[in-house]
Amino acid sequence: MMDLDPRQYEQSAINDCDVRNIVLSYLVHNCFKETAESFITSTGMKQPADYPVDMDKRKPIFHFALEGNALKAIELTEQLAQNLLEENKDLHFDLLSLHFVELVCSKKCTEALEFAQNKLTPFGKVHKYVEKLEDFMALLAYEEPEKSPMFHLLKQDHRQHVADSLNRAILAHTNQPSYSAMERLIQQTTVVRQCLHQEVCKEGTQFSLEAFLNS
């Protein structure tokens, strides 16, 4: 049982250096190179010894995936992190699927079908991809795929998820943290708040980070 009252820590001092490192970690993780360099200069920080030098290479990969240009993202990923997509089949499938979706949205149905047969169908030999393949192929049956039950596959949120997963995989492949310090801190804070919330409200509503931040 957690019997600590989080309010007793409200006056605890927070080290400014830790805060700056957390912010810098977020900027580096998301390839905001110019902003990161300006932040280092304006705060008087010393550039960390492990300051990544691959941001210029990761940034276009991330943005190509985010924009739906998956083939270019794949090409650049193979140049930067060899064997990554060969080893990470889930990520490779997601990227190829992004290209398929772009073809469908562009009304290039014949090209989309040929691409699916050549690049996506081989994944069907593995059971976990069968249902996903069915969802993507079903898009071809709709004249307006954005109004289909699988419309979520066309949304920006889906591309964002794939782009984030790709960025994390590249970082891990190059022995860098796959999550920024800010993300890890939020994850840990959420778990602690959930535990505290459950102790206080055993039968109440579930803890919501979004609601907590807006309160």
Side-chain angles (χ1 to χ4, degrees):
M1 177 180 294
M2 298 184 67
D3 56 0
L4 297 177
D5 185 346
R7 289 174 295 181
Q8 65 182 291
Y9 298 105
E10 289 180 353
Q11 303 303 319
S12 298
I14 299 176
N15 189 303
D16 288 343
C17 183
D18 290 340
V19 174
R20 288 194 291 268
N21 285 330
I22 289 171
V23 173
L24 181 61
S25 168
Y26 174 82
L27 296 175
V28 169
H29 177 89
N30 291 286
C31 305
F32 299 131
K33 183 179 179 181
E34 294 80 7
T35 305
E37 292 175 347
S38 296
F39 182 74
I40 291 174
T41 301
S42 64
T43 57
M45 295 177 65
K46 291 184 178 179
Q47 184 167 298
D50 59 348
Y51 188 73
V53 295
D54 69 344
M55 279 188 283
D56 285 336
K57 295 180 179 179
R58 281 193 295 116
K59 185 174 182 178
I61 294 174
F62 177 82
H63 284 288
F64 279 129
L66 193 60
E67 294 165 0
N69 191 344
L71 295 186
K72 190 63 177 180
I74 290 173
E75 177 188 340
L76 295 179
T77 297
E78 291 175 340
Q79 293 175 12
L80 178 62
Q82 293 183 359
N83 302 322
L84 169 60
L85 297 179
E86 183 177 340
E87 296 168 359
N88 193 331
K89 297 296 184 182
D90 289 350
L91 182 57
H92 195 191
F93 177 83
D94 287 342
L95 286 166
L96 291 172
S97 299
L98 280 187
H99 181 65
F100 173 80
V101 167
E102 290 303 307
L103 291 174
V104 172
C105 291
S106 299
K107 307 299 182 183
K108 299 178 180 179
C109 295
T110 301
E111 188 175 342
L113 183 59
E114 292 176 353
F115 179 80
Q117 291 174 336
N118 293 328
K119 299 295 185 179
L120 294 177
T121 300
F123 285 89
K125 297 176 183 178
V126 181
H127 180 71
K128 67 178 181 178
Y129 294 115
V130 173
E131 186 175 346
K132 292 182 178 180
L133 279 169
E134 291 174 349
D135 287 344
F136 281 107
M137 294 304 294
L139 292 171
L140 291 170
Y142 293 87
E143 190 170 326
E144 297 180 280
E146 64 276 5
K147 295 182 180 180
S148 73
M150 289 71 64
F151 72 95
H152 62 280
L153 298 173
L154 283 63
K155 297 184 68 175
Q156 181 68 21
D157 287 349
H158 179 64
R159 291 201 297 271
Q160 181 75 53
H161 171 73
V162 175
D164 286 338
S165 297
L166 177 57
N167 188 44
R168 286 195 297 269
I170 292 173
L171 286 165
H173 188 80
T174 54
N175 298 315
Q176 299 179 62
S178 55
Y179 288 88
S180 69
M182 184 177 293
E183 289 173 303
R184 295 198 303 272
L185 182 60
I186 291 174
Q187 291 168 348
Q188 294 167 3
T189 301
T190 300
V191 171
V192 171
R193 294 295 308 193
Q194 285 174 337
C195 291
L196 290 171
H197 186 78
Q198 290 170 3
E199 286 296 325
V200 177
C201 308
K202 295 183 183 296
E203 298 180 358
T205 58
Q206 291 292 318
F207 171 76
S208 167
L209 178 62
E210 182 179 0
F212 173 73
L213 294 174
N214 292 329
S215 62

